[in-house]
Amino acid sequence: MDKRIHFFSQNQGVSPKIAPELLGIRGRQANEFAELRFPILPGFILDTTIASELGSVDIKKEVKTLLDSCSKIVGKTYGDPENPMLLKIVVSSNLAVSDYPALHNFGLVKPVVAGFTQWVGETFAAHEVLFLVRGMLWIEERLRKLTGEGERMSGRLQELDRLLREHPPAKSAENYMDEYAEFFPQGFFENAEGQLLIALEEISKLLAVDEQNDRDTALLIQPMVYGNYGKNSCSGGFFSRNVVSGEKKLQGEFHQEKFNELGGNGQDIQKIDPRHLKELEGIAWTLEDRFKEIRQIRFTIENKRLWLIEQRPVDQKSTQADIKLLLDLAKRKIVDRAYVVKALEPLRLNEILRPMIDTAGVRGLKKWSGGIAGAPGAAIGRAYFSTEGLLEAEKLARQRGEDTRFILVLPASFAGDVKAIEVATGVLTAEGGYSAHASVVARQYGKVSLVAPALTIRGKKATLGNIVFSEGDYLTLHVPSYGEPSVYQGAASLIEPKPAESGLFELIAMAKGFLKDFHVRVNAENPRDVVLARSFGADGIGLCRTEHMFFQAERINVFRDMILAGSGEERKKALNKLRPMQRDDFYRIFKAMEGKEVTIRLLDAPLHEFMPHSRDELRAYLGYLEKNKKKKVSEAEICARIEALDEFNPMLGHRGCRIAVSYPEIYAMQIRAIFDAVYRLRDEKVAVYPEIMVPIVMNASELKLIAYGKKIEGADYTGIVEVEEALREEKKVKPVPYKIGTMIELPAAALGAADIAKYGCFFSFGTNDLTQTTLGISRDDFTGFMPDYTLFDLITGNPFSVLDPRVKELIALAVERGRLTRPDLVCGLCGEHGAHPGNIRFCMEAGLDYVSCSPYSVPIAILAAAQAELRKAEPGEGPGRA
């Protein structure tokens, strides 16, 4: 036997000494069945070293011997007129994608037609002749195209496609053989052995001239079996488990007395003969254990005998299904915990944390595709073009018992729109990108966000490509973790996530087992998000943005009173009203995060963001003043005072600690509210670990002033420490340990980290602003010119998603310098970059203690951190190989 020809069956596999790539992909798949002693159809492989040389090699004797071996196993004989064994030839490339067609029914010659027909019927027999002819003519067409010799066959191929669609066929099997005999060497339809050798030689000729073949394509020859070969036959296909839920139960169909699954309604695989079901289950779950993944399997039962046709990986499967499989494998000790943690791409967890579109529910809906994904998932709701309009519509819908799902549609969002984003199911904006305000807030609240630059809004109508919709019309947003986002006009149906049923909690617990010195915290401002994040494994709060707390309806106007106060006394009155509101917020947050650190960022946003941004908001505020303040203020007066707050560049203007320098009473109110909550919880025996973060610090003097105060001639500044001491003395209570730190979000702060660390116990890197101030790029406007920069390779990727190398350098430098001053300095990253797996390994190697991200990103960050920890232990890995 030629050593380049390899036989296999359910009783023997190809010799393990043969390199797998010599067999091609399909050959390897068939041999995998053989190695497992599964009921694979026997066959032989002409490996890559001989497949394209058959014109110069005589393999007639080997072929006859191998066909005899196949006959003994399948119970049919090649060329037998009563019960003929027919063959298929599979071009087994090493390429994942090959355009060679299926080549079936070799051995279907005139002497066997009658015998074959008695098993499958005249119609099927005629079509199988046409299928044989079509495969061979495709080979001839491709060969003539590549060599430039002979008349092209494309017209004949089109005719065969038409004939294959005819039911019943116009002619009998023998008549078709007579009609097409002229296209083949003499005797092609007369002798089964000769037909096979002719076919192999023609295919080999094609491989010899095909540019796709670099002597890396094999030929696989196997007998054919038929699901319509008698009453006790069927064909089918199934997955080794449910590809959506992950339930360990075969999912698929079988087709009784059908050659394959085309053109008929199948029956649930669970209804197949119990004997075969048990056999298929054993096969499926053995394959799962071997390949450690869900497999797709096709089979045929011919005259009660089961034969496997092929098995392969499954592309379209849910993340939940993969998690369930991996946990099952780990439970049975097939894989270890490290394997499970490393097996999943972290961003895939988005799929089980967010709703997804039911694809069957979008048929017939107008669709626009494109845009920039801000926050993944799917959302349905009625479109509203303003925060006020959406909130009013939501209020009416609740009163009337109507649908309360809404999509906020805006050119861009601002701080005042947070309350609408919290209520809405999704946000659609025209401006911004991944790190735009709408995207950041949407991720924070677990809402869907899409930036569509093509969106235009005029009055109560909006246009997005071919979609024109009015306020109140339904939209469906589909923002997948991978792939292109879409907007549908109308209401689709959703598949809601069920994390508790998905295996997510077990996976995260497993991942956290590999984290010892690194943690994941959450960015959260309300107890609901804190509880959610803790269920996802969060180890504390890394960023509580206090400005978000002031946008609630009962607070915003009081806060505006404080901003527009004409004197310090008026400002203190407004702050005194806000203090119990803040105290209650902090109380609930601390309690929900009991036993873990809670980092509270003092007021950061520019004051102008809290003022009315529309005429409707302005009128509502004027009405509030008239009703609650018992004074009538003109619109012009309020507009003038608002205008006085305007700045040319507010993000680099009067915000954060700079507001505290001008108005120390604002931070003093927040500190009192924090410790009001802390002392109360201490009395309730609740463990609280407050961390107070001062934002947008540019030098050590700022942090020193705000933390410890200062006395100069003619003025005193009361710092955080003094405010806490005074409150403690007033309440006559014992101190509670707390930390003061700062957010490093300016290059100046990073460079001055050694001095800043004298006054701060922790650094938290605000990488959204640090990226903006390092690169001089606005995160909200960057998308306008990012495509041009990408086109000319001026920048790699989105710096507001993946940390820029210069930003990384500043972070590493700040950590190093800060710890030279304060060796126990705690460092974290709380910008949106903390949610991206690509940044987490850098954070670990730079010596950070944690990252903090939105609640729905916590599991993703934990899994990414665990994978980074595991990679550190791999050979060839170590510091610096991010």
Side-chain angles (χ1 to χ4, degrees), residues 15-31:
S15 168
K17 296 179 181 180
I18 302 300
E21 58 270 19
L22 294 177
L23 310 179
I25 291 175
R26 295 293 296 276
R28 291 198 294 275
Q29 288 176 344
N31 188 51

Side-chain angles (χ1 to χ4, degrees), residues 541-605:
I541 294 177
L543 177 61
C544 175
R545 291 169 280 210
T546 54
E547 57 269 15
H548 286 186
M549 299 172 174
F550 296 119
F551 286 103
Q552 295 177 22
E554 69 275 14
R555 303 182 186 189
I556 186 64
N557 286 326
V558 179
F559 199 82
R560 288 166 178 166
D561 289 345
M562 186 273 297
I563 295 172
L564 298 175
S567 67
E569 284 303 312
E570 284 187 35
R571 188 174 301 112
K572 285 180 180 178
K573 283 181 183 178
L575 288 169
N576 286 337
K577 290 181 182 179
L578 291 169
R579 177 178 166 184
M581 301 176 189
Q582 284 262 274
R583 177 200 63 210
D584 293 344
D585 288 334
F586 296 138
Y587 173 84
R588 290 192 294 268
I589 290 168
F590 281 131
K591 190 169 186 177
M593 194 51 85
E594 178 181 3
K596 304 286 186 181
E597 291 86 355
V598 175
T599 304
I600 296 174
R601 184 178 72 184
L602 301 176
L603 184 69
D604 182 39

Side-chain angles (χ1 to χ4, degrees), residues 70-201:
C70 291
S71 294
K72 291 175 184 176
I73 295 172
V74 299
K76 292 189 286 188
T77 303
Y78 191 66
D80 179 31
E82 298 298 326
N83 189 17
M85 179 178 72
L86 303 186
L87 303 173
K88 65 179 178 181
I89 302 175
V90 179
V91 178
S92 181
S93 167
N94 274 295
L95 297 172
V97 178
S98 174
D99 61 354
Y100 278 83
L103 303 170
H104 289 173
N105 306 319
F106 294 99
L108 188 50
V109 291
K110 286 184 177 180
V112 309
V113 166
F116 182 65
T117 300
Q118 73 176 348
W119 289 98
V120 298
E122 292 183 1
T123 294
F124 187 81
H127 276 147
E128 290 304 275
V129 171
L130 291 172
F131 203 84
L132 166 64
V133 170
R134 195 198 182 287
M136 284 304 299
L137 289 189
W138 188 96
I139 297 293
E140 289 299 317
E141 163 69 8
R142 182 74 175 269
L143 187 57
R144 293 179 185 189
K145 180 180 178 181
L146 292 177
T147 61
E149 299 175 3
E151 182 184 350
R152 300 290 290 273
M153 313 293 293
S154 53
R156 289 291 181 179
L157 289 170
Q158 291 174 2
E159 178 188 13
L160 281 163
D161 287 338
R162 179 183 62 79
L163 292 173
L164 281 165
R165 291 192 294 269
E166 286 186 351
H167 285 279
K171 300 179 181 179
S172 68
E174 285 202 47
N175 286 338
Y176 281 132
M177 288 179 179
D178 291 337
E179 180 177 342
Y180 286 97
E182 62 177 293
F183 298 102
F184 302 104
Q186 188 174 359
F188 185 80
F189 288 113
E190 304 298 333
N191 178 271
E193 184 179 345
Q195 186 183 79
L196 177 61
L197 294 173
I198 289 169
L200 288 172
E201 189 169 335

Side-chain angles (χ1 to χ4, degrees), residues 786-827:
M786 182 173 68
D788 301 325
Y789 268 57
T790 303
L791 176 66
F792 293 107
D793 295 324
L794 302 179
I795 196 165
T796 303
N798 183 347
F800 294 101
S801 176
V802 178
L803 285 166
D804 181 88
R806 277 79 46 103
V807 176
K808 287 182 176 180
E809 188 174 353
L810 284 170
I811 293 171
L813 182 70
V815 172
E816 181 182 358
R817 290 184 178 181
R819 286 186 175 149
L820 286 174
T821 300
R822 187 184 293 271
D824 61 348
L825 182 74
V826 175
C827 295

Side-chain angles (χ1 to χ4, degrees), residues 845-862:
E845 293 180 349
L848 271 66
D849 299 288
Y850 66 87
V851 292
S852 189
C853 51
S854 63
Y856 288 93
S857 296
V858 166
I860 296 168
I862 290 173

